[in-house]
Amino acid sequence: MKRSFLVVFFIVLFAASAAKAETLKIGAIYPLTGPAATTGKELADAIKLAQEIINNKHDFNLPLAKDEGLPNLKGARIEVIVADHQGKPDVGLAEAERLITEENVVALIGCYYSSVTKTASLAAERHQKPFLNPESTAASLTERGFKWFFRTTPNDDTFSENFFQFLDELNKKMENKIKKVAIFHENTDFGEGVKDTETKYAKQYGFELAATISYSANSSSLDSEVQKIKNSGAEVVLPASYVSDSILFMKTIKKFNYAPSMILAMDAGFISGEFGKSLGADGDYILSREVWALDLANKKPMVAEINRLYKERFGKDMNGNSARTFTGLLTIADAINRAGSTEPEAIRKTLVGYSIPGDQLIMPWAGIQFNEKQQNELGRGIVVQLVDGAYSTVWPFDLASREIVHPFVPWDKR
């Protein structure tokens, strides 16, 4: 009797151990506090939805949606541990170290801020852990020759060229051609990278660069910088700012009654949920590059289905940031599953050869496939415009769901 009891005890103990081993930890590092906390919350919510889809059966044409867990790892479930980097590169580095050495995550994802992605990925490189970046766009991140760093989003080089392709095509439709542009950028890795690539493509596409204005990120005032832009005579202003700065920029140009012909923003703060919520109608008529928009559902119904789930759970629509993070977690989980192993080198090798077609994504991309620098080479940007509180695709013109409102509506005409 005693022997039977012991046998049952060890069977139960073994079963419990086996069940515990079937949960894989992935570390995610985002700004849950600080000036981009609202955006960080959106990204963390996207992580929760992607995790739910991976761990449960859903009838979507997405990686891992039709099974419970990771089928090649005996149905292992994933647990995403979300850490807060507060928008600070040193904190991001420390959190990456902690997730790797104390939480024993099999891979990392993050970090939205390019400056934080830069430091956090150093820890992954040192510890030889796969790091997938879904949202940071500084072109330099994939120029470091890192072995363990992969990026799914298009970078600012691609997006910057998209801007001038858009302006070039728009000029072909107009009598009064746009000639002068001005760059307005924050001074972290993100803004500096955007400045470099926009400068390159302005020259390449034949536009005059009327001014390049840099400002300190998270500034309390942009008065002097906005006055410089206003005096430059630029027809198009190209801002690159995170959310608190983007809101301050709009309030400042209204204060100075400044209405350039076009505000064409580099995503980030200008497509954050907080941007429209804080500014209301004062945020209308800005254009921004994007990687995703709700009206893409006209071409891809799955976009609306995933957004419906997100809105049911978190009370708001997805945006370009959350859609990319959602896609990023599905990608790294799919790579782990395809590897059939939690060994870092097996996952890394799988990512190197990874390929998924665009019809299995909610993004408007041709798919995901990494080039020799481990940058997804199948992504592309779109241009959206905020009108009446909703972002609509206006370029590429064949994907547009509405006509562009141009020029930017003056403040006294609204």
Side-chain angles (χ1 to χ4, degrees):
M1 182 68 181
K2 184 176 179 181
R3 182 177 179 182
S4 298
F5 172 79
L6 287 173
V7 169
V8 171
F9 172 78
F10 282 115
I11 289 174
V12 171
L13 183 64
F14 176 79
S17 299
K20 186 177 180 181
E22 290 175 352
T23 298
L24 310 178
K25 291 182 180 179
I26 295 174
I29 309 172
Y30 287 110
L32 304 181
T33 59
T38 303
T39 301
K41 171 70 165 51
E42 294 169 353
L43 306 184
D45 289 342
I47 289 285
K48 290 176 187 173
L49 180 58
Q51 178 177 300
E52 176 189 327
I53 289 174
I54 293 165
N55 287 339
N56 300 280
K57 282 187 178 180
H58 291 270
D59 189 21
F60 297 126
N61 187 27
L62 291 170
L64 303 173
K66 296 186 185 302
D67 296 292
E68 291 187 9
L70 310 185
N72 293 346
L73 287 167
K74 300 179 180 178
R77 300 169 66 84
I78 65 163
E79 176 189 358
V80 182
I81 301 174
V82 183
D84 177 18
H85 65 57
Q86 305 169 33
K88 300 175 180 176
D90 59 331
V91 176
L93 173 61
E95 285 299 293
E97 292 276 359
R98 181 183 67 81
L99 289 168
I100 293 170
T101 60
E102 297 181 21
E103 297 289 352
N104 298 313
V105 298
V106 300
L108 288 167
I109 185 172
C111 303
Y112 181 61
Y113 278 88
S114 291
S115 56
V116 182
T117 299
K118 182 179 179 181
T119 57
S121 57
L122 286 170
E125 194 73 10
R126 182 162 54 247
H127 291 280
Q128 301 187 346
K129 288 284 184 182
F131 189 115
L132 189 134
N133 166 233
E135 328 84 358
S136 303
T137 55
S140 59
L141 289 171
T142 45
E143 298 294 327
R144 299 174 295 172
F146 278 18
K147 183 178 178 181
W148 300 87
F149 183 79
F150 296 81
R151 173 161 57 187
T152 46
T153 183
N155 64 30
D156 290 332
D157 191 86
T158 299
F159 291 136
S160 294
E161 182 166 21
N162 288 163
F163 275 176
F164 292 98
Q165 291 168 335
F166 162 63
L167 293 174
D168 200 42
E169 292 181 23
L170 189 63
N171 270 345
K172 292 174 182 173
K173 293 172 172 254
M174 302 191 306
E175 290 186 7
N176 297 321
K177 311 295 185 188
I178 293 169
K179 298 176 181 175
K180 292 183 179 180
V181 302
I183 298 171
F184 182 81
H185 68 96
E186 54 99 81
N187 65 345
T188 71
D189 286 345
F190 163 59
E192 292 291 334
V194 170
K195 179 256 296 180
D196 290 343
T197 53
E198 288 181 344
T199 300
K200 177 178 72 173
Y201 287 114
K203 181 178 180 181
Q204 183 172 319
Y205 281 80
F207 289 86
E208 178 183 343
L209 188 54
T212 299
I213 307 297
S214 174
Y215 72 89
S216 296
N218 304 315
S219 287
S220 58
S221 172
L222 294 172
D223 286 6
S224 64
E225 291 86 353
V226 166
Q227 286 177 319
K228 289 177 184 174
I229 287 280
K230 185 176 182 179
N231 293 335
S232 74
E235 297 151 310
V236 177
V237 177
L238 303 166
S241 306
Y242 288 116
V243 63
S244 61
D245 295 337
S246 66
I247 293 169
L248 180 59
F249 171 76
M250 295 302 293
K251 289 180 177 178
T252 306
I253 65 170
K254 182 180 181 183
K255 182 171 75 174
F256 288 109
N257 192 31
Y258 175 42
S261 176
M262 181 185 294
I263 296 173
L264 182 55
M266 187 55 85
D267 187 78
F270 289 86
I271 56 95
S272 163
E274 187 67 17
F275 181 83
K277 183 180 176 182
S278 295
L279 293 169
D282 286 349
D284 276 353
Y285 309 116
I286 63 100
L287 292 149
S288 176
R289 69 88 173 156
E290 252 290 16
V291 286
W292 186 89
L294 270 177
D295 58 5
L296 291 171
N298 297 334
K299 307 282 184 181
K300 187 180 286 192
M302 186 167 63
V303 168
E305 295 170 12
I306 297 301
N307 183 68
R308 177 181 56 78
L309 290 181
Y310 186 88
K311 193 168 187 177
E312 283 176 358
R313 284 153 181 74
F314 311 116
K316 61 171 67 173
D317 290 320
M318 299 185 88
N319 57 35
N321 291 328
S322 50
R324 281 183 297 178
T325 302
F326 173 86
T327 300
L329 184 61
L330 290 179
T331 302
I332 189 65
D334 190 34
I336 295 169
N337 180 62
R338 292 190 191 189
S341 169
T342 58
E343 288 298 316
E345 180 62 14
I347 300 169
R348 191 194 69 81
K349 285 183 176 177
T350 301
L351 283 167
V352 168
Y354 188 84
S355 179
I356 190 166
D359 64 354
Q360 294 182 35
L361 304 173
I362 63 169
M363 309 306 296
W365 302 342
I368 296 175
Q369 179 175 292
F370 299 103
N371 64 16
E372 71 282 0
K373 295 181 180 178
Q374 299 179 173
Q375 163 71 49
N376 176 23
E377 59 186 3
L378 301 181
R380 66 173 176 179
I382 61 175
V383 175
V384 297
Q385 187 168 40
L386 182 61
V387 179
D388 296 331
Y391 293 94
S392 301
T393 303
V394 296
W395 184 87
F397 294 126
D398 63 333
L399 293 180
S401 63
R402 64 170 297 157
E403 290 289 322
I404 182 175
V405 179
H406 178 256
F408 185 76
V409 179
W411 298 106
D412 59 354
K413 303 293 184 187
R414 299 186 179 206

